[in-house]
Amino acid sequence: MNAIKPLISFRWMLLLAVLAGLAGCASNQYPAAPKEDNAPAWNYLIGPGDSVNVFVWRNPEVSGNFPVRPDGKMTMSLVEDMPASGKTPSQLARDLEKALSKYIQEPIVTVVVAGGVGPFSQQIRVIGQATKPQALNYRENMSLVDLMIAVGGITDFAAGNKAYILRIVDGKQTRLGVRLEDLLQGGDISADVPVRPGDVLVVPESFF
């Protein structure tokens, strides 16, 4: 009887190992993230922490570099508490022209963003078993590879092929599966997909 117990224990251990292997190889339960980005053209929006260069034609005393405060507003000569966050540079320029027209005849304003951070709604967040989970500023044509380089890849405890992107599609939050292990460890470039402003990449922990 004593000889049977080790045999039973060994069979249970073998069974658990097989189940763990099957779990690790299981495909992502979410629909795959699209390889082509069909989203509308992306426009940079000004956000808190940005610095904007405002040039007012023929009025250098009004022109200058101005920070966007944490409340999303900016203050410059002749204009106080102008909402800036969530606007494109061109939209902000038109609003400043309207505000400055009280003091300057037909002002012409140009706005250039220096040291852009962007609004929180356009930032990409990486959470879970990434080496350096963080929020990142979106850049045009950014992809999953760029995201992994920025966060230093995934940890040894990550279930990379079960990772997913949380994305707002048609006003609803959608989960889209990605294959981080295939991309990072297998070098499968087909697993690289575009990311969008506002995406949240979730890297779950492996249970085996």
Side-chain angles (χ1 to χ4, degrees), residues 2-140:
N2 292 335
I4 296 177
K5 289 183 178 180
L7 180 61
I8 295 176
S9 299
F10 174 77
R11 287 179 177 176
W12 272 110
M13 292 175 61
L14 182 61
L15 178 60
L16 289 173
V18 171
L19 291 175
L22 291 175
C25 297
S27 59
N28 203 307
Q29 59 181 316
Y30 306 114
K35 296 180 181 179
E36 299 295 331
D37 192 355
N38 298 319
W42 174 68
N43 291 312
Y44 181 83
L45 301 180
I46 297 169
D50 281 353
S51 178
V52 293
N53 285 319
V54 179
F55 174 73
V56 185
W57 190 51
R58 292 184 177 178
N59 290 271
E61 69 280 1
V62 181
S63 305
N65 183 271
F66 308 98
V68 180
R69 304 193 306 255
D71 62 358
K73 298 177 181 179
M74 60 165 286
T75 294
M76 59 175 287
S77 301
L78 303 180
V79 179
E80 292 185 346
D81 298 334
M82 168 63 71
S85 183
K87 297 178 181 178
T88 66
S90 295
Q91 289 171 336
L92 179 58
R94 302 294 81 77
D95 290 346
L96 289 174
E97 287 174 349
K98 184 177 180 180
L100 289 171
S101 64
K102 299 177 183 178
Y103 314 99
I104 301 172
Q105 186 176 2
E106 297 182 356
I108 299 175
V109 177
T110 301
V111 173
V112 178
V113 179
V117 176
F120 292 116
S121 61
Q122 286 197 339
Q123 292 180 5
I124 298 177
R125 294 167 175 80
V126 183
I127 61 176
Q129 293 299 315
T131 302
K132 295 180 291 184
Q134 58 185 293
L136 301 164
N137 301 325
Y138 177 80
R139 301 189 303 275
E140 188 175 11

Side-chain angles (χ1 to χ4, degrees), residues 164-183:
Y164 55 89
I165 291 174
L166 292 174
R167 177 178 296 169
I168 302 299
V169 179
D170 297 329
K172 297 180 180 180
Q173 188 180 79
T174 305
R175 294 191 179 193
L176 302 170
V178 291
R179 298 180 288 121
L180 297 181
E181 288 180 23
D182 292 347
L183 177 64

